[in-house]
Amino acid sequence: RDPVMRPRLVHTLQNATGVVAVSQFLRDEAVKAGVEAKQIRVIANGVDHELYSPGSRIESRQRLGIPESQRLAVCVGTLKPVKGHDVLIQAMSSLVHDQGIPLKLVCIGGNLRSRWAENLSRLVVRLGLSENVVFAGARPPESVVDWLRAADMFTLASQREGCCNAVLEALATGTHVVATRAGDNASFVNCDTLGHLVRPGDSEALADALAKSLEANHDARAIADSVASCTWDRTADEVCDYFCSKLSATSP
């Protein structure tokens, strides 16, 4: 979208020996921009399954001080416009005020001192959600895992994505996902047992999807198994194989 960077980026990709895209979506965008499809290999991100795995919801809630009866949604993403926190907060307003669902949203992610974060805080106050929305800031992975295990669902309202690490990590933890059809999210959240996807920017559809997720029973192990093959070892092997194939093809 940047008129200055676009021609430079396209030129670089067109003249590279090879291109790795983390998602089919980004690969398709590059092809639309004029990069030859045969130049691009899609290699998705992986997950650290030793860390992101199903665990005790009760124990995680005890560590975090969350009552067992509290309905909890967790969002993981840096506070910046592209992540759609404003849309998510508007969806929360619909759930809490219009549908009477006592849901709490914990937003994990850095950039708390930015102007955008200030705008989000003002939006929370204006919509009367001060008791329902918490900005927890950046957290180490071990803490993120606890929050995901404690949650009724993971949610993210991104406008754009490639291969979303946060979605993969939520699935690996066994957490039901409510997100947007951004990037390659639909490749991983491909049935209702794993989650629900809505179009970006639609707060009402997002609210309905969150409510639907709250009504269902989720099988954490089945959700985690859906991304069992997404490992960083596999990602690294694919990258190395691709590099080697391109290097051997260009050797004198």
Side-chain angles (χ1 to χ4, degrees):
R1 292 179 173 84
D2 188 320
V4 176
M5 289 302 299
R6 178 185 176 87
R8 299 177 185 178
L9 178 59
V10 172
H11 175 79
T12 300
L13 295 177
Q14 288 174 332
N15 289 277
T17 302
V19 179
V20 173
V22 297
S23 70
Q24 185 67 34
F25 169 78
L26 290 176
R27 180 255 187 204
D28 292 345
E29 289 295 300
V31 172
K32 289 177 187 176
V35 183
E36 288 191 34
K38 65 181 182 180
Q39 283 290 91
I40 308 171
R41 173 76 62 83
V42 176
I43 302 177
N45 291 334
V47 182
D48 179 357
H49 290 279
E50 291 187 7
L51 179 61
Y52 293 97
S53 61
S56 171
R57 179 176 184 269
I58 293 175
E59 291 178 6
S60 289
R61 287 193 168 220
Q62 288 175 343
R63 282 191 290 270
L64 296 169
I66 305 295
E68 180 60 27
S69 59
Q70 176 68 63
R71 309 312 302 272
L72 175 66
V74 170
C75 174
V76 181
T78 303
L79 299 182
K80 53 186 179 180
V82 71
K83 293 298 182 181
H85 289 86
D86 54 334
V87 177
L88 182 52
I89 292 168
Q90 291 163 5
M92 283 290 296
S93 179
S94 176
L95 285 168
V96 173
H97 298 312
D98 300 336
Q99 301 184 42
I101 298 175
L103 181 65
K104 192 178 193 72
L105 170 66
V106 174
C107 298
I108 298 172
N111 217 24
L112 280 177
R113 296 184 179 181
S114 66
R115 181 172 296 180
W116 179 246
E118 293 174 358
N119 291 341
L120 294 176
S121 296
R122 284 193 290 268
L123 180 62
V124 167
V125 172
R126 180 166 62 82
L127 295 178
L129 295 171
S130 297
E131 299 299 318
N132 301 91
V133 178
V134 175
F135 297 105
R139 288 287 184 269
E142 295 80 6
S143 176
V144 173
V145 169
D146 253 347
W147 280 107
L148 290 173
R149 289 172 178 167
D152 292 288
M153 86 279 286
F154 165 87
T155 184
L156 189 63
S158 303
Q159 298 172 16
R160 300 189 305 276
E161 288 288 354
C163 179
C164 184
N165 290 75
V167 166
L168 290 178
E169 290 163 357
L171 291 170
T173 311
T175 310
H176 204 245
V177 169
V178 178
T180 56
R181 295 188 187 94
D184 272 13
N185 283 351
S187 296
F188 301 102
V189 184
N190 52 26
C191 62
D192 288 352
T193 58
L194 303 179
H196 307 300
L197 299 180
V198 302
R199 64 181 178 272
D202 192 335
S203 62
E204 288 302 317
L206 186 62
D208 291 343
L210 288 166
K212 187 176 179 180
S213 180
L214 284 172
E215 294 171 356
N217 293 320
H218 307 305
D219 185 337
R221 176 46 59 188
I223 294 173
D225 286 347
S226 73
V227 291
S229 64
C230 298
T231 68
W232 284 117
D233 282 345
R234 189 187 76 169
T235 298
D237 287 343
E238 290 185 16
V239 170
C240 286
D241 288 345
Y242 184 59
F243 281 7
C244 288
S245 68
K246 288 297 181 180
L247 289 169
S248 62
T250 57
S251 297

